[in-house]
Amino acid sequence: SPVAETFRVIQGAVSEEYVRATQGVFQFELSGDDGGTWYIDLKTKGGSAGFGKPPVTADVVMSMSSADFVKMFTGKLKPIVAFMSGKLSVKSDMVLAMSLEKML
């Protein structure tokens, strides 16, 4: 699926450097095809990404459609545009949420 493939790519891109620089855990609540709960852990040693709840409590929870998520991570939808147009809702640490953009 496009969502699972996107998370595979993210998992491959996660590095110690990103983890050190970011120190955040992101949970995604995706609706639509391949929806559900997914996460990117940029806090725990080595970092990780995948399906399900993160291994530790999320610092940021983002809700959006799976189609928009894939667009955002493939550079076809800017996160700020998604947020401003109501396609993306962010709970909690907005500054930390913005730090994820450098990984895109």
CSV table of all heavy atoms in Angstrom, one decimal, residues 33-85:
chain,number,residue,atom,x,y,z
A,33,ASP,N,-8.2,4.6,2.9
A,33,ASP,CA,-7.5,3.3,2.6
A,33,ASP,C,-6.2,3.2,3.4
A,33,ASP,O,-5.5,4.2,3.5
A,33,ASP,CB,-7.1,3.3,1.1
A,33,ASP,CG,-8.4,3.2,0.2
A,33,ASP,OD1,-9.4,2.9,0.8
A,33,ASP,OD2,-8.3,3.5,-1.0
A,34,ASP,N,-5.9,2.1,4.0
A,34,ASP,CA,-4.7,1.8,4.8
A,34,ASP,C,-4.6,2.8,6.0
A,34,ASP,O,-3.5,3.1,6.4
A,34,ASP,CB,-3.4,2.0,3.9
A,34,ASP,CG,-3.5,1.1,2.7
A,34,ASP,OD1,-3.8,-0.1,2.8
A,34,ASP,OD2,-3.3,1.6,1.6
A,35,GLY,N,-5.8,3.2,6.4
A,35,GLY,CA,-5.8,4.1,7.6
A,35,GLY,C,-5.4,3.4,8.9
A,35,GLY,O,-4.9,2.3,8.8
A,36,GLY,N,-5.7,4.1,10.0
A,36,GLY,CA,-5.3,3.5,11.3
A,36,GLY,C,-4.2,4.3,11.9
A,36,GLY,O,-4.0,5.4,11.5
A,37,THR,N,-3.6,3.7,12.9
A,37,THR,CA,-2.6,4.4,13.7
A,37,THR,C,-1.2,4.0,13.2
A,37,THR,O,-0.9,2.8,13.1
A,37,THR,CB,-2.8,4.1,15.2
A,37,THR,OG1,-4.1,4.5,15.6
A,37,THR,CG2,-1.7,4.8,16.1
A,38,TRP,N,-0.4,5.0,12.9
A,38,TRP,CA,1.0,4.8,12.5
A,38,TRP,C,1.9,5.7,13.3
A,38,TRP,O,1.4,6.6,13.9
A,38,TRP,CB,1.1,5.1,11.0
A,38,TRP,CG,0.3,4.3,10.1
A,38,TRP,CD1,-1.0,4.3,9.8
A,38,TRP,CD2,0.8,3.2,9.3
A,38,TRP,NE1,-1.4,3.4,8.9
A,38,TRP,CE2,-0.3,2.6,8.5
A,38,TRP,CE3,2.1,2.6,9.1
A,38,TRP,CZ2,-0.1,1.6,7.7
A,38,TRP,CZ3,2.2,1.6,8.2
A,38,TRP,CH2,1.1,1.1,7.5
A,39,TYR,N,3.2,5.5,13.3
A,39,TYR,CA,4.0,6.3,14.1
A,39,TYR,C,5.4,6.5,13.5
A,39,TYR,O,5.9,5.7,12.7
A,39,TYR,CB,4.2,5.8,15.6
A,39,TYR,CG,5.0,4.6,15.6
A,39,TYR,CD1,6.4,4.7,15.8
A,39,TYR,CD2,4.5,3.3,15.4
A,39,TYR,CE1,7.2,3.6,15.9
A,39,TYR,CE2,5.3,2.2,15.4
A,39,TYR,CZ,6.7,2.3,15.6
A,39,TYR,OH,7.5,1.2,15.6
A,40,ILE,N,6.1,7.6,13.9
A,40,ILE,CA,7.5,7.8,13.7
A,40,ILE,C,8.1,8.2,15.0
A,40,ILE,O,7.7,9.2,15.7
A,40,ILE,CB,7.7,9.0,12.7
A,40,ILE,CG1,7.0,8.7,11.4
A,40,ILE,CG2,9.2,9.2,12.5
A,40,ILE,CD1,7.1,9.9,10.4
A,41,ASP,N,9.0,7.3,15.5
A,41,ASP,CA,9.7,7.6,16.8
A,41,ASP,C,11.1,8.1,16.5
A,41,ASP,O,11.9,7.4,16.1
A,41,ASP,CB,9.7,6.2,17.6
A,41,ASP,CG,10.5,6.3,18.9
A,41,ASP,OD1,11.0,7.4,19.2
A,41,ASP,OD2,10.6,5.3,19.6
A,42,LEU,N,11.2,9.4,16.8
A,42,LEU,CA,12.5,10.1,16.7
A,42,LEU,C,13.0,10.5,18.1
A,42,LEU,O,13.5,11.6,18.3
A,42,LEU,CB,12.4,11.3,15.7
A,42,LEU,CG,12.0,11.0,14.3
A,42,LEU,CD1,11.8,12.2,13.5
A,42,LEU,CD2,13.1,10.1,13.6
A,43,LYS,N,12.8,9.6,19.0
A,43,LYS,CA,13.3,9.9,20.4
A,43,LYS,C,14.0,8.7,20.9
A,43,LYS,O,15.1,8.8,21.5
A,43,LYS,CB,12.0,10.2,21.3
A,43,LYS,CG,12.4,10.7,22.7
A,43,LYS,CD,11.2,10.9,23.5
A,43,LYS,CE,10.7,12.4,23.5
A,43,LYS,NZ,9.6,12.6,24.3
A,44,THR,N,13.5,7.5,20.7
A,44,THR,CA,14.1,6.2,21.2
A,44,THR,C,15.4,5.9,20.4
A,44,THR,O,15.4,6.2,19.2
A,44,THR,CB,13.1,5.1,21.2
A,44,THR,OG1,11.9,5.5,21.7
A,44,THR,CG2,13.6,3.8,21.9
A,45,LYS,N,16.4,5.4,21.0
A,45,LYS,CA,17.7,5.1,20.4
A,45,LYS,C,17.5,4.4,19.0
A,45,LYS,O,16.8,3.5,18.9
A,45,LYS,CB,18.5,4.2,21.2
A,45,LYS,CG,19.9,3.9,20.6
A,45,LYS,CD,20.8,3.3,21.6
A,45,LYS,CE,22.1,2.8,21.0
A,45,LYS,NZ,22.7,3.8,20.1
A,46,GLY,N,18.1,5.0,18.0
A,46,GLY,CA,17.9,4.4,16.6
A,46,GLY,C,16.7,4.9,15.9
A,46,GLY,O,16.7,4.9,14.6
A,47,GLY,N,15.6,5.2,16.6
A,47,GLY,CA,14.4,5.6,15.9
A,47,GLY,C,13.7,4.5,15.2
A,47,GLY,O,14.3,3.5,15.0
A,48,SER,N,12.4,4.7,15.0
A,48,SER,CA,11.7,3.7,14.2
A,48,SER,C,10.4,4.3,13.7
A,48,SER,O,10.0,5.4,14.0
A,48,SER,CB,11.3,2.5,15.2
A,48,SER,OG,10.5,2.9,16.2
A,49,ALA,N,9.8,3.5,12.8
A,49,ALA,CA,8.5,4.0,12.2
A,49,ALA,C,7.7,2.8,11.8
A,49,ALA,O,8.3,1.7,11.5
A,49,ALA,CB,8.8,4.8,10.9
A,50,GLY,N,6.4,2.9,11.8
A,50,GLY,CA,5.6,1.7,11.4
A,50,GLY,C,4.1,1.8,11.8
A,50,GLY,O,3.7,2.9,12.2
A,51,PHE,N,3.5,0.7,11.7
A,51,PHE,CA,2.0,0.6,12.0
A,51,PHE,C,1.8,0.4,13.5
A,51,PHE,O,2.5,-0.3,14.1
A,51,PHE,CB,1.4,-0.5,11.2
A,51,PHE,CG,-0.1,-0.6,11.4
A,51,PHE,CD1,-0.9,0.3,10.8
A,51,PHE,CD2,-0.6,-1.7,12.1
A,51,PHE,CE1,-2.3,0.2,11.0
A,51,PHE,CE2,-2.0,-1.8,12.3
A,51,PHE,CZ,-2.8,-0.8,11.7
A,52,GLY,N,0.7,1.0,14.0
A,52,GLY,CA,0.3,0.8,15.4
A,52,GLY,C,0.7,2.0,16.3
A,52,GLY,O,1.2,3.0,15.8
A,53,LYS,N,0.5,1.8,17.6
A,53,LYS,CA,0.9,2.8,18.5
A,53,LYS,C,2.4,2.9,18.7
A,53,LYS,O,3.1,1.9,18.6
A,53,LYS,CB,0.2,2.5,19.9
A,53,LYS,CG,-1.3,2.6,19.9
A,53,LYS,CD,-1.7,3.8,20.8
A,53,LYS,CE,-3.1,3.9,21.0
A,53,LYS,NZ,-3.8,4.8,20.2
A,54,PRO,N,2.9,4.1,18.9
A,54,PRO,CA,4.4,4.2,19.1
A,54,PRO,C,4.8,3.4,20.4
A,54,PRO,O,4.0,3.3,21.3
A,54,PRO,CB,4.6,5.7,19.2
A,54,PRO,CG,3.3,6.3,19.5
A,54,PRO,CD,2.3,5.4,19.0
A,55,PRO,N,6.1,3.0,20.5
A,55,PRO,CA,6.5,2.3,21.6
A,55,PRO,C,6.5,3.1,22.9
A,55,PRO,O,6.5,2.6,24.0
A,55,PRO,CB,8.0,1.9,21.3
A,55,PRO,CG,8.4,2.7,20.1
A,55,PRO,CD,7.1,3.1,19.4
A,56,VAL,N,6.6,4.4,22.8
A,56,VAL,CA,6.5,5.3,23.9
A,56,VAL,C,5.4,6.4,23.6
A,56,VAL,O,5.0,6.5,22.4
A,56,VAL,CB,7.8,6.1,24.2
A,56,VAL,CG1,8.9,5.1,24.7
A,56,VAL,CG2,8.3,6.8,23.0
A,57,THR,N,4.9,7.1,24.6
A,57,THR,CA,3.8,8.1,24.4
A,57,THR,C,4.2,9.1,23.3
A,57,THR,O,5.3,9.7,23.4
A,57,THR,CB,3.5,8.7,25.7
A,57,THR,OG1,3.2,7.7,26.7
A,57,THR,CG2,2.2,9.6,25.6
A,58,ALA,N,3.3,9.4,22.4
A,58,ALA,CA,3.5,10.4,21.4
A,58,ALA,C,3.5,11.8,21.9
A,58,ALA,O,2.8,12.1,22.8
A,58,ALA,CB,2.4,10.2,20.3
A,59,ASP,N,4.5,12.6,21.4
A,59,ASP,CA,4.5,14.0,21.7
A,59,ASP,C,3.5,14.8,20.9
A,59,ASP,O,3.1,15.9,21.3
A,59,ASP,CB,5.9,14.6,21.5
A,59,ASP,CG,7.0,13.8,22.4
A,59,ASP,OD1,6.8,13.9,23.6
A,59,ASP,OD2,7.9,13.2,21.8
A,60,VAL,N,3.3,14.3,19.7
A,60,VAL,CA,2.4,15.0,18.7
A,60,VAL,C,1.5,13.9,18.1
A,60,VAL,O,2.0,12.9,17.7
A,60,VAL,CB,3.3,15.6,17.6
A,60,VAL,CG1,2.4,16.3,16.6
A,60,VAL,CG2,4.3,16.6,18.1
A,61,VAL,N,0.2,14.3,18.0
A,61,VAL,CA,-0.7,13.4,17.3
A,61,VAL,C,-1.3,14.2,16.1
A,61,VAL,O,-1.8,15.3,16.3
A,61,VAL,CB,-1.9,12.9,18.2
A,61,VAL,CG1,-2.8,12.1,17.4
A,61,VAL,CG2,-1.3,12.2,19.4
A,62,MET,N,-1.1,13.6,14.9
A,62,MET,CA,-1.6,14.3,13.7
A,62,MET,C,-2.7,13.4,13.1
A,62,MET,O,-2.6,12.2,13.0
A,62,MET,CB,-0.5,14.5,12.7
A,62,MET,CG,0.6,15.3,13.2
A,62,MET,SD,1.8,15.7,11.9
A,62,MET,CE,3.3,16.0,12.9
A,63,SER,N,-3.8,14.1,12.7
A,63,SER,CA,-4.9,13.4,12.0
A,63,SER,C,-5.1,13.9,10.6
A,63,SER,O,-5.1,15.1,10.4
A,63,SER,CB,-6.2,13.6,12.8
A,63,SER,OG,-6.0,13.2,14.1
A,64,MET,N,-5.2,13.0,9.7
A,64,MET,CA,-5.4,13.4,8.3
A,64,MET,C,-5.8,12.2,7.5
A,64,MET,O,-5.7,11.0,8.0
A,64,MET,CB,-4.1,14.0,7.7
A,64,MET,CG,-2.9,13.1,7.6
A,64,MET,SD,-1.4,14.0,7.2
A,64,MET,CE,-1.8,15.1,5.9
A,65,SER,N,-6.1,12.3,6.2
A,65,SER,CA,-6.5,11.2,5.4
A,65,SER,C,-5.2,10.5,4.9
A,65,SER,O,-4.1,11.2,4.8
A,65,SER,CB,-7.3,11.6,4.1
A,65,SER,OG,-6.5,12.2,3.2
A,66,SER,N,-5.2,9.2,4.7
A,66,SER,CA,-4.0,8.5,4.2
A,66,SER,C,-3.6,9.1,2.9
A,66,SER,O,-2.4,9.2,2.6
A,66,SER,CB,-4.3,7.0,4.1
A,66,SER,OG,-5.4,6.7,3.3
A,67,ALA,N,-4.5,9.5,2.0
A,67,ALA,CA,-4.1,10.0,0.7
A,67,ALA,C,-3.3,11.3,0.9
A,67,ALA,O,-2.3,11.5,0.2
A,67,ALA,CB,-5.3,10.3,-0.1
A,68,ASP,N,-3.8,12.2,1.8
A,68,ASP,CA,-3.0,13.5,2.0
A,68,ASP,C,-1.7,13.2,2.7
A,68,ASP,O,-0.7,13.9,2.5
A,68,ASP,CB,-3.9,14.4,2.9
A,68,ASP,CG,-5.0,15.1,2.1
A,68,ASP,OD1,-4.9,15.1,0.8
A,68,ASP,OD2,-6.0,15.5,2.7
A,69,PHE,N,-1.7,12.2,3.6
A,69,PHE,CA,-0.4,11.8,4.2
A,69,PHE,C,0.7,11.5,3.2
A,69,PHE,O,1.8,12.0,3.2
A,69,PHE,CB,-0.6,10.7,5.2
A,69,PHE,CG,0.7,10.1,5.8
A,69,PHE,CD1,1.3,10.7,6.9
A,69,PHE,CD2,1.3,9.0,5.2
A,69,PHE,CE1,2.5,10.3,7.4
A,69,PHE,CE2,2.5,8.6,5.7
A,69,PHE,CZ,3.1,9.2,6.8
A,70,VAL,N,0.3,10.6,2.3
A,70,VAL,CA,1.2,10.2,1.2
A,70,VAL,C,1.6,11.4,0.4
A,70,VAL,O,2.8,11.6,0.1
A,70,VAL,CB,0.6,9.1,0.3
A,70,VAL,CG1,1.5,8.8,-0.9
A,70,VAL,CG2,0.4,7.8,1.1
A,71,LYS,N,0.7,12.3,0.0
A,71,LYS,CA,1.0,13.5,-0.7
A,71,LYS,C,2.0,14.4,0.1
A,71,LYS,O,2.9,14.9,-0.5
A,71,LYS,CB,-0.3,14.3,-1.0
A,71,LYS,CG,-1.1,13.8,-2.1
A,71,LYS,CD,-2.3,14.7,-2.4
A,71,LYS,CE,-3.4,14.0,-3.1
A,71,LYS,NZ,-4.7,14.6,-2.8
A,72,MET,N,1.8,14.5,1.4
A,72,MET,CA,2.7,15.3,2.2
A,72,MET,C,4.1,14.8,2.2
A,72,MET,O,5.0,15.5,2.1
A,72,MET,CB,2.1,15.4,3.6
A,72,MET,CG,2.6,16.5,4.4
A,72,MET,SD,1.6,16.9,5.9
A,72,MET,CE,2.3,15.6,7.0
A,73,PHE,N,4.2,13.4,2.4
A,73,PHE,CA,5.5,12.8,2.5
A,73,PHE,C,6.2,12.6,1.1
A,73,PHE,O,7.4,12.3,1.1
A,73,PHE,CB,5.5,11.5,3.3
A,73,PHE,CG,5.7,11.8,4.7
A,73,PHE,CD1,4.6,12.2,5.5
A,73,PHE,CD2,7.0,11.8,5.3
A,73,PHE,CE1,4.8,12.5,6.9
A,73,PHE,CE2,7.2,12.1,6.7
A,73,PHE,CZ,6.1,12.4,7.4
A,74,THR,N,5.5,12.9,0.0
A,74,THR,CA,6.1,12.8,-1.3
A,74,THR,C,6.3,14.2,-1.9
A,74,THR,O,6.6,14.3,-3.0
A,74,THR,CB,5.3,11.9,-2.3
A,74,THR,OG1,3.9,12.4,-2.3
A,74,THR,CG2,5.3,10.4,-1.9
A,75,GLY,N,6.1,15.2,-1.0
A,75,GLY,CA,6.3,16.6,-1.4
A,75,GLY,C,5.2,17.2,-2.3
A,75,GLY,O,5.4,18.3,-2.8
A,76,LYS,N,4.1,16.5,-2.4
A,76,LYS,CA,3.0,17.1,-3.3
A,76,LYS,C,2.1,18.0,-2.5
A,76,LYS,O,1.2,18.6,-3.1
A,76,LYS,CB,2.3,16.0,-4.0
A,76,LYS,CG,3.1,15.2,-4.9
A,76,LYS,CD,2.3,14.2,-5.7
A,76,LYS,CE,3.2,13.4,-6.7
A,76,LYS,NZ,3.6,12.1,-6.1
A,77,LEU,N,2.2,17.9,-1.2
A,77,LEU,CA,1.3,18.8,-0.3
A,77,LEU,C,2.2,19.3,0.8
A,77,LEU,O,2.8,18.5,1.6
A,77,LEU,CB,0.2,17.9,0.3
A,77,LEU,CG,-0.7,18.5,1.3
A,77,LEU,CD1,-1.5,19.7,0.7
A,77,LEU,CD2,-1.7,17.5,1.8
A,78,LYS,N,2.3,20.6,0.9
A,78,LYS,CA,3.1,21.2,2.0
A,78,LYS,C,2.4,21.1,3.3
A,78,LYS,O,1.2,21.3,3.4
A,78,LYS,CB,3.4,22.7,1.7
A,78,LYS,CG,4.3,22.9,0.5
A,78,LYS,CD,5.4,23.9,0.9
A,78,LYS,CE,6.5,24.1,-0.1
A,78,LYS,NZ,7.3,22.9,-0.3
A,79,PRO,N,3.1,20.7,4.4
A,79,PRO,CA,2.4,20.5,5.7
A,79,PRO,C,1.6,21.7,6.1
A,79,PRO,O,0.5,21.6,6.7
A,79,PRO,CB,3.6,20.2,6.6
A,79,PRO,CG,4.6,19.6,5.8
A,79,PRO,CD,4.5,20.3,4.4
A,80,ILE,N,2.2,22.9,5.9
A,80,ILE,CA,1.6,24.2,6.4
A,80,ILE,C,0.3,24.4,5.6
A,80,ILE,O,-0.7,24.8,6.2
A,80,ILE,CB,2.5,25.4,6.3
A,80,ILE,CG1,1.9,26.5,7.1
A,80,ILE,CG2,2.9,25.8,4.9
A,80,ILE,CD1,2.0,26.4,8.6
A,81,VAL,N,0.3,24.0,4.3
A,81,VAL,CA,-0.9,24.2,3.5
A,81,VAL,C,-2.0,23.2,4.0
A,81,VAL,O,-3.2,23.5,4.1
A,81,VAL,CB,-0.6,23.9,2.0
A,81,VAL,CG1,-1.8,23.9,1.1
A,81,VAL,CG2,0.4,25.0,1.5
A,82,ALA,N,-1.6,21.9,4.2
A,82,ALA,CA,-2.5,20.9,4.7
A,82,ALA,C,-3.1,21.4,6.1
A,82,ALA,O,-4.3,21.3,6.2
A,82,ALA,CB,-1.7,19.6,5.0
A,83,PHE,N,-2.3,22.0,6.9
A,83,PHE,CA,-2.8,22.4,8.2
A,83,PHE,C,-3.8,23.6,8.0
A,83,PHE,O,-4.9,23.6,8.6
A,83,PHE,CB,-1.6,22.8,9.1
A,83,PHE,CG,-2.0,23.3,10.5
A,83,PHE,CD1,-2.5,22.4,11.4
A,83,PHE,CD2,-2.0,24.7,10.8
A,83,PHE,CE1,-2.9,22.8,12.7
A,83,PHE,CE2,-2.4,25.1,12.0
A,83,PHE,CZ,-2.8,24.2,13.0
A,84,MET,N,-3.4,24.6,7.3
A,84,MET,CA,-4.2,25.8,7.1
A,84,MET,C,-5.5,25.5,6.4
A,84,MET,O,-6.5,26.2,6.6
A,84,MET,CB,-3.4,26.9,6.3
A,84,MET,CG,-2.1,27.4,6.9
A,84,MET,SD,-2.4,28.1,8.5
A,84,MET,CE,-2.6,29.8,8.1
A,85,SER,N,-5.5,24.5,5.5
A,85,SER,CA,-6.7,24.2,4.8
A,85,SER,C,-7.6,23.1,5.5
A,85,SER,O,-8.6,22.7,5.0
A,85,SER,CB,-6.4,23.6,3.4
A,85,SER,OG,-5.6,22.4,3.5
